[in-house]
Amino acid sequence: MKLHEYQAKGIFADAGIPVPDSQLAESVEEVLDAVDEIGYPAAIKAQVHVGGRGKAGGIKIATDREEAERYAEEILGMDLKGYTVDRVLVESGVDFVDELYVGVTMDRGEGQPVLMVSTEGGVDIEEVAAESPDAIAREHVDPAFGLHPYQARKVVYEAGVDADVALDVASILSTLYDLYEDSDASEIEVNPVMITGDRDVIAADAVMNIDEDALFRQPELSEMAEESYEDDLERKAGEYGFDYVRLSGNVGIIGNGAGLVMTTLDLVDHYGGSPANFLDIGGGAKAERVTNALDMVFSDENVDAVVFNIFGGITRGDEVAKGINEALEQFDEIPKKVVVRLAGTNAEEGMEILNADLVEVEETLEDAVQRAVANAAEVEQ
């Protein structure tokens, strides 16, 4: 579960991490009221779960009321990488002289959380990792013993952070680790941490992702779940109980089991297509569940074609086939071409049940993916 920046900053502030003064606004009038109170310069920041908001026009710095009004009108309602902006964070500007990156995530290769610090803050940390891996200092933490204070200081100094602010940065990093552990987070970061001319250290951004499987023991965070959904599709996925991630491509993907769906995503990319989503309907899926999955994918305007990949174990092929037929029969006209591949339990029965007038059927996953990619390419032409 991804938290919005304003939600994460509220948690950071409660934990003692310095953050700029800010207010959430959902209209131009609320933006103007906020900047009048906060003062200028003020940042107007789109609250959407995408990176690169600034480059995409989703973050503007207003120096007077006229600019604030113009930027609010531009950002509210804008389409930002496929998401509609319905609220902004109005935040006091920070007069900074340096930017850092600090974060905590899970290093699955090592099986331990890892602290990360870089003096190349304010840019995409993935780009830094790819182009200048030595620019990121790392320190692993044994979860059995927790974070020792010296480890936070060590990784900050190894990153080359200026000595006069190093302890303050280490303090923020230690607090982030405590939040990571106490909140069952999967990732938590600040990019950038801004250093002001007066050598104050301020968290100018906030990313906090929570392990959804742990929400049962995080009641306060669980209450934020509905607000954290970015659009109707994510909200639908939550209601239906699907594991769903929206991507930027045009080939919709439905499967049962995370590994099977990931394999399908990889094959779509391999054959020259672009995945539109990750959608796992899980094991034991009945007809109604399959109908809901198709409804979700059809609702995505970016999707031009769909590939349905089911391997029958708990999930029976004939049940899936009934669900596909029932879903498609609700439409006077099928909105997107659907390619189906069934294998495993009752797959042959399922193939016989499938309405060939409504779907295209392929025996192998490779053939199904190639046909779906070709269908999407035809729509683009």
Side-chain angles (χ1 to χ4, degrees):
M1 183 187 81
K2 295 180 179 179
L3 297 186
H4 286 292
E5 177 189 3
Y6 75 89
Q7 294 172 317
K9 278 186 172 171
I11 293 171
F12 287 8
D14 290 343
I17 295 176
V19 299
D21 292 336
S22 64
Q23 292 184 27
L24 190 67
E26 298 183 1
S27 68
V28 175
E29 292 73 20
E30 289 182 4
V31 169
L32 294 177
D33 289 342
V35 292
D36 285 345
E37 183 175 336
I38 290 172
Y40 299 92
I44 301 173
K45 311 172 76 174
Q47 295 301 284
V48 289
H49 293 311
V50 297
R53 289 175 298 165
K55 292 180 181 178
I59 299 177
K60 300 284 188 180
I61 306 297
T63 58
D64 56 40
R65 186 178 176 85
E66 183 180 336
E67 285 188 348
E69 183 174 12
R70 184 170 76 252
Y71 294 153
E73 290 173 347
E74 290 176 0
I75 296 175
L76 284 167
M78 77 180 297
D79 183 282
L80 193 62
K81 298 185 177 181
Y83 297 103
T84 301
V85 179
D86 59 6
R87 51 195 159 181
V88 295
L89 187 66
V90 182
E91 189 172 78
S92 60
V94 179
D95 185 13
F96 66 94
V97 296
D98 201 3
E99 295 179 291
L100 311 174
Y101 167 89
V102 299
V104 184
T105 190
M106 175 60 68
D107 184 338
R108 299 191 182 279
E110 294 293 329
Q112 292 181 332
V114 59
L115 313 179
M116 298 183 293
V117 181
S118 176
T119 55
E120 298 188 20
V123 296
D124 189 339
I125 196 63
E126 284 78 14
E127 290 182 9
V128 176
E131 298 174 5
S132 307
D134 293 339
I136 303 174
R138 296 172 173 83
E139 178 74 14
H140 288 88
V141 179
D142 188 333
F145 299 99
L147 175 65
H148 297 290
Y150 82 86
Q151 291 180 288
R153 297 193 298 269
K154 174 174 175 283
V155 70
V156 167
Y157 281 108
E158 286 179 350
V161 175
D162 291 343
D164 62 333
V165 296
L167 290 179
D168 289 337
V169 176
S171 176
I172 289 178
L173 186 57
S174 295
T175 304
L176 288 180
Y177 182 82
D178 290 341
L179 289 172
Y180 172 87
E181 191 173 58
D182 295 342
S183 302
D184 289 302
S186 57
E187 178 183 15
I188 189 167
E189 67 178 34
V190 180
N191 187 22
V193 173
M194 288 184 171
I195 312 299
T196 71
D198 295 330
R199 311 308 284 171
D200 292 325
V201 180
I202 299 174
D205 194 16
V207 171
M208 190 171 181
N209 299 334
I210 310 300
D211 182 353
E212 290 184 342
D213 291 332
L215 285 178
F216 71 93
R217 59 187 182 196
Q218 300 290 344
E220 292 185 5
L221 293 175
S222 183
E223 291 177 0
M224 299 181 184
E226 184 174 349
E227 289 186 60
S228 75
Y229 290 132
E230 187 55 47
D231 60 13
D232 290 340
L233 288 176
E234 291 187 358
R235 189 171 290 105
K236 272 187 178 182
E239 293 171 356
Y240 291 153
F242 292 147
D243 289 327
Y244 174 81
V245 179
R246 192 178 187 184
L247 304 173
S248 58
N250 64 347
V251 179
I253 296 170
I254 303 172
N256 63 321
L260 197 66
V261 178
M262 286 301 300
T263 300
T264 311
L265 262 74
D266 288 341
L267 282 174
V268 168
D269 182 71
H270 175 72
Y271 288 118
S274 181
N277 65 271
F278 172 104
L279 177 52
D280 175 12
I281 62 174
K286 301 297 183 181
E288 181 181 0
R289 194 164 175 83
V290 177
T291 302
N292 291 339
L294 282 167
D295 172 60
M296 277 198 62
V297 176
F298 285 162
S299 298
D300 188 343
E301 294 179 356
N302 294 332
V303 172
D304 292 327
V306 180
V307 58
F308 213 117
N309 183 20
I310 296 294
F311 183 84
I314 299 174
T315 306
R316 288 166 35 195
D318 56 330
E319 285 287 347
V320 174
K322 291 175 184 177
I324 294 173
N325 286 346
E326 288 179 15
L328 295 178
E329 286 167 0
Q330 297 175 24
F331 296 91
D332 295 330
E333 182 178 350
I334 307 303
K336 338 258 175 158
K337 288 186 176 180
V338 178
V339 183
V340 179
R341 175 262 190 175
L342 295 178
T345 305
N346 289 5
E348 291 185 6
E349 291 87 339
M351 298 286 243
E352 293 176 1
I353 292 171
L354 283 171
N355 186 338
D357 293 331
L358 302 178
V359 300
E360 299 172 350
V361 181
E362 295 288 349
E363 292 187 3
T364 70
L365 175 56
E366 291 81 0
D367 288 343
V369 169
Q370 288 183 74
R371 176 171 283 201
V373 170
N375 289 342
E378 288 178 7
V379 174
E380 284 191 334
Q381 291 176 354

